[in-house]
Amino acid sequence: VISWKNFDTINADLDDAYSHPRNLAAGSVRKLDASEAQKRMLEFWAFDLVSDSLESGSKHAQQKLLAYCGFSVVPYLYLPFSCSARDIERAILSMQPTRFDYPVDGLIMEYDDLAYGRSLGATGHHENRLIALKWADELYETTFRSIELATTRTGMVSLTARFDPVNMDGATVGRAYLHNLDNFHALQLGSGDTIRIYRANMIIPQIADNLTRSGVRDIPATCPVCGGKTEIRNLNDVKSLYCTNPECPAKFMKAFTLFVSRDAMNIDGMSEATLEKFVGHGFIREFADIFRLDRYRDEIVEMDGFGEKSYQNLIDSIERAKNTTLPRLIFGLGILNIGLANARMICKAFDFDLDRIRNASAEDFAQIDGVGEVIAKSIVDYFADEENKERLERLL
């Protein structure tokens, strides 16, 4: 864990600040460089003692043993068996999240008698000897503004609510994912409505309710990426919105992933997840759009996982990618059956002249050692397609 105090200290030195100590701790333990992880001031607090030789006995005794051995032990209250319901209630009320120096989202009640507790059995999810209590989520009031659309690789158009930014537990939040059309309909959202939001598990922004409910606006009729028609589909009794265009760029994520890969344009920082966000929001519809992402600077900087530093690093990487080689470009286009080795052979055979390559015949390619009819046909067909020609011109 990372304490609130240390979280503020660490965040002040990071280019891209984290929104919650839990996120920072999770990212820190995954660091491969131990010296870097050490700077994050991670602490270990013992919750349980796992031992085959201690199946019986007292939970309280285990906690005392852990403390005696030098471990920090999670804060707890021990209540004797003779305690009343009122005693338990008072204990719960005394352990509010503000009491702790660490982010805590609830309490666990557990029997002290380990053997008795284990005799109660378990479900697939938890042991019956444990009772988990979550604190009620704190609600924040704000004003709903609009719906943001994004198309995923499955063709589903996701809906995200945008509202006036609110500071929640040190993080500024201005969006909440709506999951599906059923949620959208149930909330009856209209621009200017007063809504209440919260952070589920103190992390994920959600809309709790809509106080003014001015009414659902028209369901988006077109895809934000390709402009194709949308339709409502009912899958497992859940209504969702889908793009019906089979040629929608959002459905061809693998092509964009190949284009930015190390052996192609080698754009550092352009992961598949990042690409999916950009394509889903309509920032990228074809390869050339990658080199025009600076048009969406303000939107990108506001995205989860991005900030000024991350955005600038990405733009710098895109700028470097403009200075590339012809084999990398040919390979990155994703022409059927053309790997990096084939691209190199073809470029060398045509003296690295792109105009000669895109105007060559199948017979010309077939004369190259290592290039057969299948590869020759693939590359000729690609450059014969008018749409491919236009996209390549825009990219160049």
Side-chain angles (χ1 to χ4, degrees):
V1 294
I2 293 175
S3 70
W4 285 109
K5 180 182 177 182
N6 289 338
F7 172 70
D8 292 336
T9 301
I10 297 165
N11 246 355
D13 294 330
L14 297 177
D15 293 325
D16 295 319
Y18 282 78
S19 61
H20 195 277
R22 187 182 299 168
N23 296 352
L24 178 58
S28 299
V29 297
R30 286 196 295 266
K31 281 190 168 293
L32 298 178
D33 187 341
S35 64
E36 283 299 311
Q38 187 178 18
K39 297 175 184 176
R40 299 291 177 86
M41 294 185 270
L42 287 157
E43 299 176 33
F44 175 82
W45 287 70
F47 176 80
D48 216 350
L49 178 60
V50 181
S51 171
D52 289 338
S53 61
L54 293 170
E55 287 297 303
S56 61
S58 162
K59 170 77 173 187
H60 188 212
Q62 286 191 1
Q63 302 296 77
K64 290 193 290 185
L65 173 62
L66 285 165
Y68 176 78
C69 292
F71 290 102
S72 298
V73 178
V74 294
Y76 67 92
L77 288 177
Y78 173 75
L79 301 177
F81 188 74
S82 59
C83 72
S84 67
R86 182 62 182 150
D87 292 330
I88 295 175
E89 187 178 348
R90 286 196 193 98
I92 291 171
L93 292 173
S94 73
M95 298 185 77
Q96 294 301 307
T98 52
R99 170 183 166 180
F100 306 108
D101 296 329
Y102 303 84
V104 180
D105 63 2
L107 305 174
I108 295 288
M109 296 171 66
E110 180 175 356
Y111 285 108
D112 183 49
D113 187 328
L114 296 174
Y116 174 70
R118 289 191 171 87
S119 74
L120 299 176
T123 68
H125 183 263
H126 64 274
E127 296 181 70
N128 293 331
R129 65 190 176 93
L130 305 170
I131 299 175
L133 302 175
K134 295 278 188 180
W135 281 297
D137 294 299
E138 185 175 356
L139 297 177
Y140 300 80
E141 200 168 286
T142 185
T143 303
F144 170 76
R145 293 303 177 191
S146 63
I147 290 293
E148 182 179 279
L149 307 175
T151 305
T152 67
R153 71 182 73 188
T154 64
M156 189 183 84
V157 180
S158 66
L159 309 175
T160 300
R162 298 195 65 164
F163 42 80
D164 290 347
V166 177
N167 188 285
M168 304 168 69
D169 300 320
T172 301
V173 179
R175 290 181 174 86
Y177 183 47
L178 292 177
H179 300 288
N180 52 58
L181 281 179
D182 291 327
N183 287 344
F184 180 57
H185 282 131
L187 288 166
Q188 294 283 304
L189 293 167
S191 183
D193 279 348
T194 299
I195 61 174
R196 292 195 297 182
I197 60 173
Y198 67 98
R199 297 182 78 184
N201 293 324
M202 296 187 176
I203 295 178
I204 304 168
Q206 301 282 345
I207 297 179
D209 53 16
N210 180 3
L211 302 180
T212 48
R213 306 175 73 83
S214 66
V216 172
R217 297 297 184 258
D218 293 336
I219 299 299
T222 58
C223 169
V225 176
C226 68
K229 289 184 179 180
T230 59
E231 69 177 15
I232 298 173
R233 297 177 188 171
N234 195 332
L235 302 176
N236 299 321
D237 294 325
V238 175
K239 291 179 181 176
S240 298
L241 194 64
Y242 282 83
C243 171
T244 60
N245 176 16
E247 300 300 316
C248 179
K251 300 176 184 179
F252 297 98
M253 281 301 305
K254 293 299 180 186
F256 292 109
T257 304
L258 172 68
F259 183 77
V260 303
S261 67
R262 181 171 297 180
D263 289 336
M265 304 309 292
N266 192 26
I267 301 178
D268 189 36
M270 189 74 85
S271 66
E272 189 164 341
T274 298
L275 273 170
E276 188 159 5
K277 288 180 184 178
F278 292 167
V279 173
H281 285 83
F283 302 165
I284 298 175
R285 298 170 186 243
E286 57 178 283
F287 297 144
D289 292 334
I290 293 173
F291 297 93
R292 297 192 285 254
L293 278 173
D294 54 355
R295 296 181 297 180
Y296 303 101
R297 178 197 169 282
D298 294 343
E299 291 93 331
I300 294 172
V301 168
E302 285 185 14
M303 282 183 169
D304 288 340
F306 269 89
E308 293 284 355
K309 185 71 173 178
S310 298
Y311 167 79
Q312 194 55 53
N313 287 342
L314 179 60
I315 293 300
D316 290 345
S317 182
I318 290 172
E319 193 64 30
R320 288 192 297 271
K322 291 179 181 179
N323 181 24
T324 188
T325 64
L326 188 57
R328 282 177 173 272
L329 174 62
I330 296 293
F331 170 64
L333 293 176
I335 303 170
L336 189 64
N337 300 312
I338 304 295
L340 183 58
N342 289 335
R344 286 173 177 155
M345 284 192 301
I346 290 167
C347 290
K348 186 176 180 180
F350 287 93
D351 298 321
F352 298 89
D353 187 330
L354 178 58
D355 285 333
R356 286 181 60 193
I357 292 173
R358 54 182 172 176
N359 291 311
S361 65
E363 290 75 18
D364 295 330
F365 286 110
Q367 292 177 17
I368 302 171
D369 187 26
V371 175
E373 289 183 14
V374 174
I375 294 176
K377 185 177 186 306
S378 289
I379 197 163
V380 169
D381 288 349
Y382 182 88
F383 288 119
D385 184 282
E386 288 301 322
E387 204 165 304
N388 287 338
K389 287 180 182 179
E390 292 171 9
R391 288 174 179 165
L392 180 57
E393 282 301 327
R394 289 192 289 270
L395 174 60
L396 293 174

